[in-house]
Each structure stands twice: as structure tokens, then as C-alpha cells.
Amino acid sequence: MSSQQPAEPSRELVWDRVKKAAQDHHNHHKERGTSKLIGIDADQSPQYVSDWKAGRSPIPMATLAKLASLYGVSAGYLAGYTDDPTPRTPADEATLRAKMVELVESVVTDLNPNAPPSLVVELCDLALSMLQDKQPDEMVIGALYKRMKQREHE
């Protein structure tokens, strides 16, 4: 069983974690208005956020990474892969994380907007590692495209 990938966390769990992190970040502990705050933070329409809340569509991993960075928690926590909300990267890497999200989001949007969260997390790790090594954006994008194509054929 250890060779199998873990089950994807439920959309309800992901939404609950995003909602709580947003409420904590904004010091807004009421249900009313939280979705609107999340929409503003994610730069998404109210309908898009409503679809996340209702479980009709998953929150894209790139968006989770963006929200995690803003809310000061780990993307893995928001995505439901860990119960530890502590970010793994120091605050001084916020610029790198923002660039990572931008690059991964562009590749995922182009190749497969419905990529599984586990793949997006893998791409984020790859992009962050390359950015930390001061690789140019073009090289990072190339590596991300290559990895996504490899995973399509696995």
C-alpha cells in the first residue's frame, strides 16, 4: 500500500482550511463576508469562489499556494496534505514563492488546468528549488513543461 499515492483530500477540508486561514489573516471570524475576502485575496470572481465553497470545483493549487503565502501558512496544509500549518520556507523567500506560483500557474493553465494537486505540489517544489538556485525563468518554465509532459505519459 505504501507504493500507492495517498487519496486526494476532500474539497470540503480544503475549503474549511482556506476559510479559517482567511478569517485568521483578516481577523474576520464571521461566516458572512469570508468568501468575498477570499475572492479578493485570490483575485477571483465571487462565482468562482462560490464554486470552491460548494465543492463544485477544486481550488487550483497555484491559487492555494498564493493564498498560503498571503495567509502565512503552508500550501500543503491548505491543500490538506499535512496538518502542520507552518510554512516550510522562511518569510524572506516570499518573492521567490510568488514567482514560483506565477510560473507554475502559467504552465498548469496552459497544459492542464485540472492537474491533480499532487502534481502541482511537485511542480511548485521543482520551481522553487530552481529559483533558489537562481535559474532563469525560461529554464524553470522549460523544466515544468517537461515534468508535466512526463507525468502525462506515466
Side-chain angles (χ1 to χ4, degrees):
M1 182 115 151
S2 62
S3 64
Q4 293 179 345
Q5 287 191 315
E8 296 290 329
S10 74
R11 290 178 182 175
E12 181 180 336
L13 172 69
V14 175
W15 174 255
D16 287 344
R17 288 184 174 187
V18 168
K19 180 178 73 173
K20 173 146 181 18
Q23 289 171 330
D24 290 348
H25 174 75
H26 291 286
N27 197 23
H28 177 88
H29 295 282
K30 299 177 193 168
E31 184 69 32
R32 186 178 183 108
T34 302
S35 294
K36 184 174 182 176
L37 291 172
I38 293 167
I40 291 167
D41 293 341
D43 195 27
Q44 295 294 332
S45 72
Q47 181 59 48
Y48 206 53
V49 175
S50 175
D51 288 346
W52 298 341
K53 182 177 180 181
R56 289 186 293 267
S57 65
I59 303 173
M61 197 61 203
T63 302
L64 284 176
K66 176 180 180 178
L67 293 173
S69 181
L70 177 65
Y71 298 156
V73 297
S74 75
Y77 170 76
L78 287 186
Y81 289 108
T82 178
D83 291 330
D84 182 5
T86 308
R88 291 189 189 160
T89 55
D92 63 342
E93 289 191 19
T95 303
L96 286 180
R97 288 187 304 221
K99 177 57 80 175
M100 169 206 64
V101 168
E102 176 187 325
L103 297 176
V104 170
E105 189 169 36
S106 71
V107 171
V108 170
T109 300
D110 188 39
L111 289 181
N112 183 0
N114 297 314
S118 57
L119 173 57
V120 180
V121 168
E122 181 182 333
L123 295 175
C124 286
D125 289 344
L126 174 61
L128 186 60
S129 173
M130 291 180 75
L131 289 168
Q132 287 169 330
D133 289 342
K134 303 196 184 325
Q135 296 290 323
D137 292 358
E138 297 78 20
M139 298 228 9
V140 176
I141 289 172
L144 295 175
Y145 271 99
K146 181 178 178 182
R147 185 62 191 136
M148 276 197 78
K149 290 292 189 181
Q150 286 173 338
R151 284 285 298 267
E152 284 179 5
H153 300 293
E154 287 180 358

